[in-house]
Amino acid sequence: MDPITLNDPAMNKLTTIESHFLQQQKLYPEVNAEVIDLLHDVAFAAKLVRREVVRAGLADILGLTGSTNVQGEEVKKLDLFANEKIICAIGQHGRFAIMGSEENDSIIIPPKNETGNYALLFDPLDGSSNIDVNVSVGTIFSIYRIKSEDPGNASLADCLQSGAEQVAAGYVIYGSSVVMVYTTGHGVHGFTYDPTIGEFLLSHENIITPERGKYYSANEGSWAQLNDGTKRFLDYLKEEDAETGRPYSTRYIGSLVADFHRNLLTGGVFVYPATKKHKQGKLRLMYEANPLSFICEQAGGRATDGERRILDIVPEELHQRTPLYIGSKEDVLVAEEFEQGKR
Ligand code: P6P
């Protein structure tokens, strides 16, 4: 039998996320080496978080949250565990100037002599309340170049940049498989984790989201709290109209990353508007809406707060919230027309 040759179809290409990062840097020299290093660290942290998330159901055996497990180790809430792993994985290499986390009230500054030129904003484990019922959850992150001349004096202002300033963004969805999706502004690429070799392997190259979808994601249990525009938009999606592919199907998992990821791949729209309970919306601008909006636009989709492009919003607070309409471009445009009373 002849030895396999490199152009043999059987030579299935296995591209690890690390080698993809390096390819991106060669193809796009403006993607700074420090950004690539940070992406490496995030991918590593994701592997550590995955290890615990996939066995979360064993908490009874391992020890309940806040207690100690059979090894005598303290068992942390998984979102706090994820938070610590990401901070340590990023912090240990001294590659960042400042971090902002959904779990930390204030910013995280490295030791003076261990700093880089970038800010990392992240939600370590969004939807963590779903873990107990084995629903997919996710890590979401944004990377910005700081504005401060001296990285050793980075401040909150270096975090409070509009989403359009992001140099990279991504998420990890811990579901039936674990997938990491990222962009450096040059397309959107997805990698599926192979636990047998401990690598994220390229599985979704250059993701493009459909112009129009067939799913909508909204918590209609909040109907009484919704404004008239949102109610009319949701009613519109339920009407029968073959030409516009209506009625759409409802898909609402209650875990942002899971709903976003499905809509990104299949097409659809996710709406979390301002409600009577969440007057500014529930979702966070800096480490949920901005990173997902960067990815969505890179994949050909659209993301607004019903009026403004999410990436144009100038943040005032680290943990500020925003209404979010995100997904297939045509669906989001229709949502905006209802929100703005044009339909
Ligand atoms: P509701 C999870 O708690 C979360 O932050 C997002 O992951 C999710 O999209 C949203 O809240 C669900 O909120 O009000 O519909 O339960």
Side-chain angles (χ1 to χ4, degrees):
M1 181 178 174
D2 293 337
I4 195 168
T5 61
L6 284 178
N7 55 10
D8 187 311
M11 190 70 183
N12 61 335
K13 281 189 175 179
L14 293 180
T15 303
T16 66
I17 197 168
E18 287 81 6
S19 59
H20 197 271
F21 290 156
L22 295 175
Q23 286 169 19
Q24 289 271 298
Q25 199 183 1
K26 286 179 188 150
L27 288 170
Y28 311 107
E30 70 276 18
V31 179
N32 189 295
E34 284 186 69
V35 173
I36 298 297
D37 286 342
L38 280 170
L39 288 169
H40 269 278
D41 292 342
V42 172
F44 175 66
K47 294 178 184 178
L48 298 177
V49 174
R50 173 211 159 268
R51 185 176 60 180
E52 293 307 310
V53 167
V54 297
R55 59 183 192 159
L58 298 176
D60 294 342
I61 300 171
L62 298 176
L64 290 176
T65 303
S67 67
T68 55
N69 62 24
V70 291
Q71 287 82 15
E73 298 155 346
E74 183 199 355
V75 177
K76 299 182 187 312
K77 270 169 62 69
L78 270 171
D79 44 10
L80 295 181
F81 172 88
N83 193 47
E84 285 180 16
K85 288 304 167 196
I86 293 169
I87 292 171
C88 293
I90 305 296
Q92 68 181 354
H93 294 136
R95 290 169 170 161
F96 77 100
I98 191 166
M99 276 193 252
S101 166
E102 195 264 352
E103 290 295 335
N104 293 54
D105 290 341
S106 54
I107 51 173
I108 302 155
I109 300 281
K112 282 286 182 199
N113 59 342
E114 297 173 20
T115 182
N117 292 294
Y118 291 87
L120 177 78
L121 284 297
F122 63 97
D123 184 349
L125 206 61
D126 176 71
S128 53
S129 57
N130 291 304
I131 281 186
D132 298 345
V133 293
N134 206 23
V135 166
S136 300
V137 293
T139 297
I140 316 171
F141 66 92
S142 265
I143 299 175
Y144 295 81
R145 185 172 182 95
I146 60 170
K147 300 294 187 188
S148 302
E149 288 295 317
D150 173 9
N153 284 317
S155 68
L156 178 60
D158 290 300
C159 292
L160 299 183
Q161 300 184 51
S162 64
E165 299 294 319
Q166 292 173 93
V167 294
Y171 61 86
V172 183
I173 179 168
Y174 308 96
S176 52
S177 63
V178 176
V179 177
M180 180 165 170
V181 176
Y182 88 97
T183 184
T184 57
H186 303 284
V188 177
H189 312 285
F191 300 78
T192 300
Y193 186 72
D194 181 341
T196 64
I197 56 174
E199 295 284 5
F200 278 107
L201 299 178
L202 183 63
S203 52
H204 302 76
E205 189 165 22
N206 284 319
I207 296 172
I208 298 295
T209 198
E211 287 274 308
R212 180 185 289 276
K214 54 188 177 184
Y215 298 123
Y216 74 94
S217 306
N219 183 347
E220 295 193 88
S222 307
W223 190 265
Q225 298 187 46
L226 300 178
N227 65 37
D228 183 50
T230 304
K231 288 180 178 176
R232 289 188 295 108
F233 173 56
L234 297 177
D235 282 339
Y236 165 82
L237 293 178
K238 296 172 195 165
E239 292 166 356
E240 295 257 345
D241 179 72
E243 190 181 328
T244 53
R246 290 180 289 149
Y248 281 27
S249 294
T250 304
R251 291 289 184 279
Y252 192 71
I253 299 171
S255 185
L256 174 60
V257 174
D259 282 316
F260 175 80
H261 185 67
R262 180 205 51 253
N263 290 350
L264 181 74
L265 298 183
T266 63
V269 57
F270 173 98
V271 296
Y272 205 112
T275 64
K276 291 171 187 167
K277 181 180 175 185
H278 298 292
K279 291 183 172 36
Q280 300 305 317
K282 177 181 182 184
L283 301 172
R284 309 288 187 169
L285 173 64
M286 295 311 295
Y287 35 77
E288 289 173 341
N290 272 338
L292 296 184
S293 298
F294 187 17
I295 286 175
C296 186
E297 288 196 0
Q298 280 288 310
R302 182 178 174 84
T304 73
D305 66 357
E307 302 277 345
R308 300 172 295 173
R309 180 180 178 235
I310 291 288
L311 299 185
D312 289 340
I313 297 174
V314 179
E316 294 168 6
E317 293 170 15
L318 186 61
H319 300 291
Q320 79 182 62
R321 300 174 191 264
T322 178
L324 182 61
Y325 302 73
I326 190 168
S328 295
K329 183 179 292 186
E330 289 180 23
D331 294 327
V332 174
L333 283 167
V334 171
E336 288 169 42
E337 288 173 356
F338 279 102
E339 288 306 318
Q340 295 167 26
K342 295 173 182 170
R343 288 178 84 144

